[in-house]
Amino acid sequence: MERITDEQIALLVSFAYARISDADALQEEACRTVTALRLVVDKQIAAVRYFRTSPSSGAAVAEHANASWNLLVSIARIWRDHSEFPIDAAMETFEFDAESPLMPTR
């Protein structure tokens, strides 16, 4: 998480927020979907910011911060084909094991 800068966080956050529609302008199911997506993004942003400024340290804090950031990146990748996608900001904080791609390497 140390290699992720505050500027990268701000870029990814503003990109994700700009892509999420205004729920008030949508009809029932679409409104619920957009509201849920915004809630997930809000929670991941709050978690990333909390863990980056947390006075606690250690593997557990780093793991939570990385997981929150990785989920935020995954959400932003929904729009990876968008011309404004911040590729320089959207980097994961771990690499995947080639034999078991769902598991991060340790």
Side-chain angles (χ1 to χ4, degrees), residues 23-69:
D24 295 336
L26 301 173
Q27 298 301 316
E28 296 179 28
E29 191 62 31
C31 180
R32 285 191 285 273
T33 301
V34 167
T35 301
L37 182 58
R38 187 172 293 277
L39 178 67
V40 170
V41 168
D42 287 344
K43 290 199 174 280
Q44 296 318 304
I45 292 166
V48 166
R49 289 182 174 154
Y50 171 78
F51 289 122
R52 280 183 63 87
T53 61
S54 176
S56 302
S57 62
V61 171
E63 188 174 321
H64 286 297
N66 289 346
S68 296
W69 175 254

